[in-house]
Amino acid sequence: MNLPVGHRMVFIGDIHGCNVEFAQLLETVKFDDATDELILLGDFISKGPDSISVLELAMAHNAACVRGNHENTLLRRYAKKNGQHFDNDLESGDFDVSEGGFVHVLADEKKIIKKATQEQIEYMDSCPLILHFAEKIFGEDHGDVSASHAGLMWNEPTYENQDPAVLLYIRTLLPPDNTTASPTRDGVLWKYVWNDYQATLPAAQRRTVLYGHDAKTGLSVMEYSKGLDSRCYKGDYLTALVATKIGVDQWTHEVVSVKCDVHDPKLPGYVDGPR
């Protein structure tokens, strides 16, 4: 694919149903369907005030997407409810070691299933676990570009065959050799191992990954990884990375954020919204 000069790729981290902030961020970056491409990095639904409006806006802009753990939870629940087979039969919900493992976060997903149209369910189902992009938008030295919700394993040479659980949940790698992925915070954050490893490779073998999922760490733009979950649901920011093509194999990059209301009812300053 040879994208025209002026084409923009707008990657957005975890929206989590924060529809007002999503619309504000698109307005702030002056998103234009004629020249721009929108890519959502998963967990665009659930927790926040209006996931249905997020889906409507994403679909109106023909947004590309990768599936997050919350979309996966919803689709798994939807398939079970309707007696359908679900290929990606992982545990649903978030991982919370204090609760002894996977915690089923299903209240929001159940509400969304009741409200969502068939087209919206199919849109979420169309989101792959990983996306690859034809152009080296961060430059030849930064290699190929992929997007997944949580991250990638550094030692998996065939990126199309990454473990689905890694793509949805990875946060850390466990010692001593950092080859075992974990959704907890034990061990070392995967992004540090990833960046160190990419720097050892020839440029032609490198890969830069865009991801979300890690709200606790927040915005984390590193050499070969771009983490864009900046805790909008918690009242921090919703963030986009905007890559603009300015010439043959030349791109500029800008990180743009908007301030979010607090949508977590457990936090001070909680702003209620439609459910």
Side-chain angles (χ1 to χ4, degrees):
M1 182 186 300
N2 187 18
L3 297 172
V5 171
H7 182 88
R8 297 196 305 169
M9 301 178 75
V10 180
F11 298 88
I12 297 182
D14 301 37
I15 300 168
H16 273 305
C18 299
N19 60 304
V20 171
E21 291 87 351
F22 182 27
Q24 288 174 341
L25 184 55
L26 293 179
E27 183 177 352
T28 299
V29 302
K30 297 180 172 57
F31 187 85
D32 185 345
D33 288 299
T35 58
D36 300 343
E37 182 179 357
L38 180 60
I39 305 101
L40 307 183
L41 298 177
D43 279 7
F44 42 88
I45 63 159
S46 196
K47 295 186 177 182
D50 196 343
S51 293
I52 298 300
S53 291
V54 169
L55 287 166
E56 290 173 349
L57 189 54
M59 293 171 68
H61 288 296
N62 196 29
C65 52
V66 291
R67 186 182 302 183
N69 50 294
H70 281 276
E71 288 82 36
N72 200 68
T73 296
L74 182 146
L75 291 167
R76 188 174 186 268
R77 170 62 56 166
Y78 180 85
K80 183 177 181 180
K81 179 176 181 288
N82 291 279
Q84 299 173 356
H85 174 70
F86 186 54
D87 289 333
N88 193 17
D89 194 22
L90 299 171
E91 292 282 358
S92 48
D94 285 338
F95 191 95
D96 187 342
V97 70
S98 68
E99 297 291 338
F102 282 97
V103 180
H104 295 268
V105 185
L106 297 177
D108 281 344
E109 283 81 358
K110 286 179 179 178
K111 292 178 183 178
I112 297 165
I113 286 171
K114 289 180 180 179
K115 293 182 179 180
T117 65
Q118 184 62 32
E119 290 76 16
Q120 289 167 344
I121 295 292
E122 290 174 359
Y123 171 71
M124 287 183 278
D125 192 42
S126 74
C127 299
L129 294 177
I130 188 169
L131 281 173
H132 303 294
F133 301 93
E135 296 208 20
K136 293 179 169 58
I137 61 176
F138 296 103
E140 290 287 338
D141 288 347
H142 290 74
D144 293 336
V145 178
S146 298
S148 70
H149 175 58
L152 300 178
M153 279 296 292
W154 66 275
N155 61 335
E156 173 51 70
T158 308
Y159 291 102
E160 290 78 1
N161 294 328
Q162 291 268 333
D163 184 342
V166 167
L167 300 174
L168 289 169
Y169 289 109
I170 187 174
R171 285 198 172 99
T172 60
L173 300 169
L174 300 180
D177 54 7
N178 296 327
T179 58
T180 301
S182 172
T184 73
R185 296 199 172 274
D186 298 330
V188 61
L189 291 172
W190 72 270
K191 63 182 180 179
Y192 295 129
V193 179
W194 176 270
N195 278 271
D196 288 347
Y197 178 66
Q198 296 303 311
T200 70
L201 297 174
Q205 297 179 24
R206 292 174 186 160
R207 184 175 299 269
T208 300
V209 58
L210 297 109
Y211 67 99
H213 188 58
D214 194 357
K216 187 171 182 179
T217 298
L219 180 65
S220 179
V221 178
M222 301 180 69
E223 194 75 15
Y224 303 103
S225 66
K226 320 294 179 183
L228 302 182
D229 184 351
S230 47
R231 296 165 50 95
C232 184
Y233 170 70
K234 299 285 188 181
D236 287 349
Y237 296 90
L238 185 63
T239 297
L241 187 148
V242 183
T244 304
K245 188 168 185 179
I246 60 172
V248 177
D249 298 326
Q250 291 182 301
W251 293 75
T252 60
H253 314 94
E254 181 183 14
V255 174
V256 181
S257 299
V258 296
K259 189 73 173 71
C260 299
D261 287 331
V262 177
H263 297 295
D264 185 343
K266 299 189 294 292
L267 294 178
Y270 167 60
V271 176
D272 197 5
R275 289 283 182 176

